[in-house]
Amino acid sequence: MRKHGTVGYHPRRKKHPTNPDRLAPPAPDLVQRGFTAADLDERWCGDITYVQVGATWLYLACVIGIYSHR
């Protein structure tokens, strides 16, 4: 490998951007698993994730209305 100028591939370890507090109580379930709504703006759901773009990590946050799915 040295003769041909090649090097081995060293994959990076998976990053864990957050460390959960194991002693903290769980968040309350305000929706109570009822993912239905009778009118606009009655209930919303959201989620956040991390996306790797090149060498950096970006946050992706999504919010959706349960009634309209928009």
Side-chain angles (χ1 to χ4, degrees), residues 9-60:
Y9 174 69
H10 301 284
R12 295 184 179 183
R13 291 183 180 174
K14 186 174 182 180
K15 293 184 180 181
H16 297 283
T18 58
N19 294 322
D21 182 6
R22 300 194 191 281
L23 300 177
D29 183 7
L30 301 177
V31 179
Q32 300 296 322
R33 300 288 178 209
F35 294 104
T36 58
D39 199 10
L40 285 173
D41 296 332
E42 186 176 328
R43 289 188 179 165
W44 294 80
C45 283
D47 195 13
I48 186 169
T49 189
Y50 302 94
V51 180
Q52 186 175 10
V53 179
T56 62
W57 288 85
L58 299 177
Y59 294 100
L60 173 64

